[in-house]
């Protein structure tokens, strides 16, 4: 019998009202450009890409996250404008900061060394913090239409990062499963 596995990823989730602002943008992309895939997860900045994890080893995953986050200081994320990957993804740009990189690097290192999880990055591309508002089901024509508007659109915001979130896929959507607090900075 196959061992039961669940799908997870680790991210930073923005607080309200920013959380709802990003959701409204995702809804705009659904309504105006036919792209709804981004609505299957909450607003977030991915720190570790989705991975499968054995249900029986969930306490080990939680322990590593708890221990890692307990040693890391919080930081601030600054959002500024929009960006794109290829002709399929539009996102809100998060300015890279040493604080966010430190959190991400520590998580990736501990996942690799303590849990043997090796898929932290998409196609081995470097960490590029962002909040996706349209992807996967955004058609090429719709991308060009949307990008002509959003490449010059303004979006600014900032929020403190005081925790990271382990998200779990329920077979349909990603849900916030458990938060892990960072040290106060």
């Amino acid at each position: 019998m196959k061992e039961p596995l669940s799908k997870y990823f680790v991210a930073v989730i923005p607080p309200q009202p920013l959380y709802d602002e990003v959701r409204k943008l995702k809804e705009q992309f659904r309504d105006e450009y036919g792209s709804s895939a981004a609505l299957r997860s909450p607003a977030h900045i991915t720190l570790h890409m989705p991975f499968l994890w054995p249900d029986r080893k969930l306490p080990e995953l939680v322990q590593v996250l708890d221990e890692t986050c307990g040693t890391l200081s919080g930081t601030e994320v600054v959002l500024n404008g929009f960006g794109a990957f290829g002709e399929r993804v539009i996102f809100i740009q998060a300015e890279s900061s040493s604080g966010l990189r430190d959190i991400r690097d520590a998580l990736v290192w501990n996942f690799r060394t303590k849990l043997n999880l090796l898929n932290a990055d998409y196609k081995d591309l470097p960490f590029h913090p962002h909040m996706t508002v349209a992807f996967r089901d955004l058609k090429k024509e719709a991308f060009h239409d949307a990008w002509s508007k959003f490449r010059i659109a303004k979006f600014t915001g900032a929020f403190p990062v005081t925790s990271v979130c382990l998200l779990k896929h329920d077979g349909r959507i990603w849900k916030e499963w458990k938060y892990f607090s960072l040290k106060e900075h």
Side-chain angles (χ1 to χ4, degrees), residues 15 35 50 57 95 99 120 128 144 152 159-160 171 178 181:
S35 178
K57 292 175 69 178
E95 293 180 5
H128 185 123
H144 290 291
I152 57 173
F159 64 94
K178 183 169 177 53
S181 295

Side-chain angles (χ1 to χ4, degrees), residues 68-150:
T68 303
C69 291
T71 66
L72 299 170
S73 294
T75 190
E76 181 176 64
V77 167
V78 176
L79 304 173
N80 192 5
F82 293 89
F85 294 132
E87 295 178 317
R88 294 297 287 274
V89 179
I90 296 177
F91 56 86
I92 298 166
Q93 304 239 46
E95 293 180 5
S96 188
S97 70
S98 60
L100 193 57
R101 270 192 316 276
D102 290 349
I103 292 167
R104 191 228 178 231
D105 290 350
L107 283 167
V108 169
W109 173 256
N110 284 327
F111 273 30
R112 283 183 179 157
T113 59
K114 296 177 180 179
L115 301 173
N116 201 31
L117 274 171
L118 307 175
N119 72 321
D121 303 307
Y122 179 71
K123 296 182 179 178
D124 292 323
L125 294 172
F127 181 52
H128 185 123
H130 64 280
M131 287 189 194
T132 301
V133 291
F135 79 120
R136 194 175 290 151
D137 62 348
L138 182 62
K139 304 279 188 263
K140 200 181 231 185
E141 306 78 35
F143 169 86
H144 290 291
D145 186 27
W147 188 233
S148 69
K149 175 181 174 184
F150 281 91

